[in-house]
Amino acid sequence: MSFELLGFGDLGSVHIGMTRDQSRALLGRGFEEFLKAADSTVPTDAYDDLGVHVYFDEGYRVIGVEFLKWSDLSWRGQRLSGADVLKVQQYMVTEGETLNFNGSGFDVNGLGLRVYAPDLDIGEEDAVIETVYVSFVKDK
């Protein structure tokens, strides 16, 4: 299954306001529930075949989707998950996005993206994006 980020909180078929039941109907039965952290109260749905984890709030509405490097996530025709991190950075800047760097990648707040590319920090020239988290919740 391919996903295209259309805008903040909008992956086309998965979007702001979608319920857990709706996301499960769309993505299918091939998931496992798990608690992402020890203090988590709401399970995350892991679709390992798709390379997708779907996160929910206490009302079981989608608040974000994490794409692992073997998933198929793109933005404006540029592949994001598993792509060359330097190529993605250059493309996003060319498209007018502001990148906020951290120790393990960068964020693109305007799109709700958190990009995890740990090899970037150690100077790997061929670093790839390991995961991309697409947030459906605006930072306050």
Side-chain angles (χ1 to χ4, degrees), residues 9-30:
D10 187 0
L11 292 163
S13 54
V14 181
H15 50 81
I16 288 177
M18 180 174 261
T19 66
R20 181 174 70 176
D21 289 342
Q22 290 170 324
S23 71
R24 287 177 172 180
L26 173 75
L27 298 173
R29 297 182 183 264

Side-chain angles (χ1 to χ4, degrees), residues 25-119:
L26 173 75
L27 298 173
R29 297 182 183 264
F31 67 90
E32 281 188 40
E33 284 186 10
F34 75 102
L35 294 175
K36 188 73 172 186
D39 63 345
S40 295
T41 58
V42 178
T44 297
D45 286 353
Y47 293 86
D48 289 334
D49 288 347
L50 297 175
V52 172
H53 293 172
V54 183
Y55 296 80
F56 306 97
D57 64 13
E58 290 78 16
Y60 292 95
R61 298 227 173 249
V62 176
I63 59 169
V65 181
E66 181 179 30
F67 294 88
L68 308 177
K69 70 179 176 182
W70 64 87
S71 64
D72 189 2
L73 172 65
S74 61
W75 175 69
R76 295 185 179 172
Q78 171 62 57
R79 182 179 173 88
L80 301 179
S81 52
D84 178 288
V85 67
L86 297 176
K87 182 178 178 183
V88 169
Q89 287 174 350
Q90 182 180 20
Y91 183 77
M92 289 194 156
V93 169
T94 300
E95 292 293 310
E97 295 301 323
T98 301
L99 311 182
N100 300 304
F101 292 91
N102 56 53
S104 60
F106 61 92
D107 298 339
V108 185
N109 295 333
L111 295 172
L113 296 179
R114 289 187 293 224
V115 176
Y116 178 66
D119 291 342

Side-chain angles (χ1 to χ4, degrees), residues 124-136:
E124 290 288 328
E125 290 183 22
D126 57 351
V128 298
I129 295 173
E130 296 291 326
T131 63
V132 178
Y133 181 79
V134 179
S135 178
F136 287 18

